[in-house]
Amino acid sequence: MERLLQSTADGSHTISIPAMEVTYHSKHGAIQESNHVFLDAGLNKIADMNLPEISILEMGFGTGLNALLTLIRSGKKSVRYESLETFPISAGIVQQLNYCEILERRDLQPLYENMHASPWESEISITDTFVLIKRNINLINFHSDRKYHLIYFDAFAPRAQPELWTEQVFSNLFSVLEPNGILVTYCSKSIVRKAMQAAGFKVEKIPGPRGKREMLRAYRYDPILPSK
Ligand SMILES: C[S@@+](CC[C@H](N)C(=O)[O-])C[C@H]1O[C@@H](n2cnc3c(N)ncnc32)[C@H](O)[C@@H]1O
């Protein structure tokens, strides 16, 4: 399927797939959306827990923007970042993506390209504190004996991928979350919220990124442990 580079309102790029009528990010700003949905509403909340290492699972590696922003935001904190992706983007597209330039972190461009070039299915130390594991598998077939503190759920919209926003998929993700772990997504549709609740999540609607009134944050709530 053809993938095209596109600019968004904050100047950062996204990718569109005309055949599916989808883009990887909001037209109101790819970086602003990722920062708001995944970093501010997700990573910051987990960082409050002062864990020795944060274990993150991402659905949809795509441009690697969430991974790059997480690496920057996590600073010296140890992060294990596992990301699932069925259709990796080409090296040609990676080199054109302007995230490091817009973030005024051109020094990180080689490291960003390393994230994409690194082998799949292996634990790769991108820095001393950031370990990346890219897995070339479909979320539907995802199983893990590991537990994660935070899930970035970044599939295409339910209109384009209804099979991924189901109770069954969220039950599987619930089962791999640590107690009081969090799943965040840009979507706020009530059908999605209900599927999450049926899977056992406690779900809250919180203010969305620019151009979206709301988004969802879902918890594997454990009343025994203090929740932050
Ligand atoms: C909305 S894009 C977001 C990508 C990424 N987080 C980013 O910031 O660029 C969704 C991504 O999920 C991938 N994807 C779609 N269906 C998938 C599936 N069933 N399992 C794993 N990845 C999938 C797509 O190829 C795409 O890269």
Side-chain angles (χ1 to χ4, degrees):
M1 258 184 287
E2 188 187 27
R3 287 171 167 72
L4 302 174
L5 216 61
Q6 226 172 266
S7 284
T8 67
D10 64 5
S12 59
H13 284 146
T14 192
I15 294 173
S16 67
I17 306 182
M20 284 177 78
E21 295 183 0
V22 291
T23 55
Y24 281 41
H25 308 96
S26 157
K27 65 177 184 187
H28 298 280
I31 289 180
Q32 76 79 27
E33 180 189 44
S34 287
N35 266 329
H36 182 103
V37 175
F38 300 106
L39 283 289
D40 298 345
L43 186 66
N44 281 5
K45 199 83 175 145
I46 291 294
D48 284 350
M49 294 178 185
N50 279 323
L51 302 161
E53 183 191 71
I54 299 176
S55 176
I56 300 176
L57 175 68
E58 176 179 42
M59 189 273 128
F61 185 70
T63 61
L65 175 58
N66 292 336
L68 176 68
L69 293 174
T70 300
L71 181 147
I72 294 171
R73 183 83 64 100
S74 56
K76 291 194 162 58
K77 181 72 114 183
S78 290
V79 172
R80 183 185 186 279
Y81 195 101
E82 188 169 333
S83 190
L84 316 181
E85 177 57 61
T86 38
F87 302 107
I89 59 175
S90 68
I93 288 197
V94 172
Q95 281 162 10
Q96 294 176 63
L97 288 166
N98 65 357
Y99 300 133
C100 293
E101 182 190 329
I102 299 286
L103 292 164
E104 298 183 357
R105 291 300 309 266
R106 281 178 197 267
D107 57 309
L108 293 181
Q109 184 68 25
L111 186 150
Y112 174 61
E113 290 184 22
N114 266 352
M115 284 182 169
H116 283 276
S118 71
W120 293 79
E121 327 303 338
S122 309
E123 295 209 353
I124 305 294
S125 293
I126 300 294
T127 67
D128 289 350
T129 52
F130 191 93
V131 172
L132 176 67
I133 305 98
K134 295 183 299 179
R135 297 182 62 187
N136 189 201
I137 60 161
N138 192 314
L139 172 66
I140 300 284
N141 303 322
F142 170 71
H143 297 287
S144 176
D145 294 332
R146 284 188 170 271
K147 291 268 194 277
Y148 307 87
H149 301 109
L150 177 59
I151 297 178
Y152 294 162
F153 195 86
D154 201 8
F156 293 123
R159 161 185 58 78
Q161 295 197 291
E163 73 284 3
L164 298 185
W165 300 83
T166 62
E167 178 185 339
Q168 202 182 346
V169 167
F170 289 124
S171 292
N172 189 23
L173 294 177
F174 185 88
S175 73
V176 298
L177 260 185
E178 293 278 7
N180 291 324
I182 295 174
L183 179 152
V184 275
T185 187
Y186 62 87
C187 183
S188 65
K189 286 199 174 323
S190 72
I191 189 172
V192 171
R193 185 166 44 86
K194 285 180 186 152
M196 289 175 173
Q197 285 166 335
F201 282 102
K202 186 177 161 222
V203 187
E204 61 176 342
K205 277 190 191 178
I206 56 176
R210 218 165 293 153
K212 265 194 133 274
R213 205 156 49 90
E214 290 168 327
M215 58 166 277
L216 297 178
R217 180 161 56 201
Y219 297 83
R220 178 174 178 152
Y221 179 56
D222 185 336
I224 311 274
L225 292 175
S227 84
K228 289 262 179 180

